[in-house]
Amino acid sequence: MARAARNTYFKTIQSASRVHRSQFLADSDSRSVRDARQIAAGSAPDRFPTLENSSSPTKINNTLLQHFFPPRPSPPPPLILPAFKDFPPVLPAEVSSAFRKSSNTSAPSPSGIPYSIRKQVHKANEQLLSTLFTALLTRRYHPLAMKKANGIVLDKPGKPDYRTPASFRIIVLLETLSKILERVSALRFASAAHSLGLLHPDQCGSLAGLGCFNTVATLPHEVRLLQAASFKVSTLFLDVNGGLDNVCANKLANILTKGGFSAYLVAWIMSLLSKGQCRLIFQGAPKVFCLLTVGTPQGSLISPPLFVLYIASLHPTIPQGLAIAYVDDLTMTVGSDSVRSSIRALQYYFRIIQWQGADLGVAFSVPKTELIHWRPLKNRLDVSFGPIMINELLFPPYQAVRWLGYRHTPTLHFSVHFLRRLALAKASFATIRQLSSAGKGLSSWCNRKIVFGAILPILT
């Protein structure tokens, strides 16, 4: 009887799951086509990290921590200081604005308290969180309990070998209460940085009004302007190695202080960056919190603005060109009388920013460097294959560069990008149809609905 009851229980769950899945797929629209494909295909099982020279979960945990969070110079220990007199208090409206940008479906933090519970607390008493945040910022202190995080270890798909830490990635989940305070502080930080003129005008990303599309649209616009002046134009695509982890807290404090930031905000940021704790989550993990001494915490809402300000000096002034960046993706575009002159100019400017980055403790991932020589669409014969030499490595020019999700060609024609997007969409639809024909509960009518609902936004 117990066995029969157990079987009936699980069969009922499976039946309800099939009905729910079929109903979800039938009601799918263009916004949920990705979720529909994932439901139809199913999720792949998690890979257990089997690292070399790590025979136990504890050794695997320490190896991953050493790889992803190498020790850095830590800032001085924070102190609970007397209240700052000239501090503007946190208003309930600021907390409400931060909550509106927080999703109730976000993964839980170490405390297990989701945003939905925090929102209910704030709705019942709007003065509670604003008073707490005001007290913390006034005394320039970020509690240790709010600096704990879960690090979810996920495998990178398509890797040939999963015996190295580089085949995995870590998604850091911070405390929801801390992220609300960080969002409020990030808005104040960005406002102060703009008013003080510390942000470089060619820096996009992590800033209000300067998103990915602005960066992608600026690059071809600048290239066409240089081509209109009869210049040979070339662009070097660079990537900062490590990014947020390479921010030195002490150097960041000097930059903020010299830039004119308020003393309370600088002291609170230093408290935020000190003594962070993280525990890794994977199969068999010991799940113990370990002290981290990295740059800015991954997943923090104030980390990207801090990093953008930290590397603001890595934008060289190019008389006939432009250096634009999207967070840690930097491009340098140069126009000259010949391709050879453009290559020499790019080498010169790279040496400058490499020297400046070394002073900040920031390095570039040279193997990820890409070069492209632009040419006018009407001149099909003007094709150059001149390579560039950087750190004794030779990089030939690319015929298509994928940057910020867009594929750029030497003629600045976006047909390659959209053809690629359509090919991926067709592959997804083919997978859904194959699974549908195998009896996964997806009708032909639902197939047509998902296909046309997903193709329409791509074409528009």
Side-chain angles (χ1 to χ4, degrees):
M1 291 176 60
R3 187 180 300 109
R6 182 184 61 185
N7 293 339
T8 303
Y9 172 75
F10 285 110
K11 287 181 180 179
T12 304
I13 292 180
Q14 293 177 357
S15 177
S17 178
R18 284 195 297 269
V19 173
H20 173 73
R21 180 172 62 246
S22 300
Q23 185 65 32
F24 176 83
L25 295 176
D27 297 338
S28 298
D29 54 14
S30 59
R31 295 184 178 181
S32 57
V33 63
R34 182 177 300 177
D35 296 336
R37 181 181 182 275
Q38 184 176 358
I39 289 177
S43 58
D46 296 333
R47 289 185 175 89
F48 180 79
T50 54
L51 308 180
E52 295 181 347
N53 302 325
S54 300
S55 56
S56 65
T58 302
K59 292 183 178 180
I60 294 176
N61 186 82
N62 296 335
T63 302
L64 292 174
L65 287 174
Q66 184 68 23
H67 176 80
F68 289 101
F69 307 107
R72 307 282 182 184
S74 58
L79 300 176
I80 302 180
L81 303 175
F84 194 76
K85 297 181 180 179
D86 299 330
F87 170 74
V90 177
L91 303 177
E94 294 181 271
V95 181
S96 300
S97 177
F99 271 125
R100 281 194 294 269
K101 298 181 180 180
S102 304
S103 175
N104 292 337
T105 60
S106 297
S109 56
S111 65
I113 303 178
Y115 282 115
S116 57
I117 301 299
R118 306 287 188 189
K119 291 179 181 180
Q120 292 296 327
V121 172
H122 180 67
K123 185 177 180 180
N125 187 352
E126 292 186 348
Q127 298 296 329
L128 181 61
L129 292 181
S130 60
T131 303
L132 172 63
F133 293 160
T134 300
L136 294 176
L137 292 176
T138 301
R139 288 166 173 80
R140 289 92 76 180
Y141 180 70
H142 199 75
L144 298 177
M146 294 173 59
K147 289 188 284 189
K148 292 184 177 181
N150 286 336
I152 311 299
V153 181
L154 301 176
D155 57 277
K156 297 180 180 179
K159 292 293 183 179
D161 187 9
Y162 289 91
R163 292 180 296 176
T164 61
S167 300
F168 297 85
R169 64 179 182 271
I170 294 181
I171 305 299
V172 179
L173 305 178
L174 301 176
E175 284 290 348
T176 53
L177 185 61
S178 177
K179 296 184 73 171
I180 294 299
L181 175 57
E182 292 167 15
R183 189 182 295 276
V184 172
S185 303
L187 294 176
R188 295 191 174 194
F189 175 83
S191 177
H194 278 292
S195 61
L196 295 172
L198 299 180
L199 296 174
H200 198 277
D202 297 328
Q203 174 70 52
C204 302
S206 304
L207 302 172
L210 294 175
C212 178
F213 178 77
N214 301 88
T215 316
V216 175
T218 301
L219 179 61
H221 174 74
E222 182 67 21
V223 171
R224 291 191 177 98
L225 286 179
L226 293 172
Q227 289 178 342
S230 301
F231 286 124
K232 305 295 184 183
V233 188
S234 301
T235 299
L236 193 66
F237 297 85
L238 303 170
D239 182 72
V240 177
N241 189 18
L244 303 177
D245 295 336
N246 292 327
V247 175
C248 178
N250 296 324
K251 294 180 180 179
L252 177 62
N254 293 333
I255 294 175
L256 297 179
T257 303
K258 293 180 180 178
F261 273 89
S262 301
Y264 84 91
L265 188 56
V266 177
W268 177 80
I269 291 175
M270 292 302 100
S271 177
L272 172 67
L273 300 183
S274 64
K275 293 186 178 181
Q277 296 183 5
C278 181
R279 63 179 178 185
L280 299 185
I281 307 297
F282 59 89
Q283 294 180 2
K287 296 183 180 180
V288 293
F289 285 99
C290 300
L291 185 65
L292 303 181
T293 56
V294 296
T296 54
Q298 183 188 145
S300 173
L301 300 175
I302 199 175
S303 293
L306 289 175
F307 179 76
V308 165
L309 180 61
Y310 187 73
I311 64 170
S313 60
L314 300 184
H315 287 74
T317 302
I318 305 176
Q320 297 174 354
L322 182 69
I324 58 176
Y326 184 83
V327 191
D328 58 348
D329 292 322
L330 179 64
T331 66
M332 294 189 298
T333 303
V334 172
S336 302
D337 297 333
S338 64
V339 175
R340 181 175 297 180
S341 300
S342 298
I343 292 175
R344 291 176 180 174
L346 289 174
Q347 290 174 331
Y348 169 74
Y349 291 120
F350 177 79
R351 287 193 295 267
I352 292 179
I353 65 173
Q354 189 179 35
W355 176 77
Q356 294 175 342
D359 184 59
L360 294 174
V362 174
F364 292 93
S365 180
V366 177
K368 296 182 179 180
T369 301
E370 295 177 318
L371 172 69
I372 190 170
H373 299 306
W374 310 101
R375 62 181 177 86
L377 182 61
K378 60 182 180 180
N379 191 355
R380 299 183 180 273
L381 300 178
D382 187 13
V383 180
S384 176
F385 300 98
I388 188 172
M389 178 74 73
I390 294 180
N391 291 356
E392 300 182 357
L393 295 177
L394 194 64
F395 296 92
Y398 282 73
Q399 295 304 311
V401 173
R402 187 177 184 273
W403 184 59
L404 301 182
Y406 288 83
R407 293 185 178 274
H408 303 268
T409 59
T411 57
L412 290 173
H413 202 282
F414 284 96
S415 60
V416 175
H417 169 74
F418 289 108
L419 288 175
R420 176 68 176 174
R421 292 289 300 273
L422 286 174
L424 294 175
K426 290 180 180 178
S428 299
F429 303 147
T431 302
I432 294 178
R433 287 182 173 179
Q434 291 175 0
L435 294 172
S436 172
S437 61
K440 292 291 184 178
L442 190 62
S443 63
S444 59
W445 171 84
C446 185
N447 269 326
R448 293 194 298 271
K449 185 177 181 181
I450 293 179
V451 169
F452 289 110
I455 285 183
L456 184 60
I458 295 177
L459 297 178
T460 54

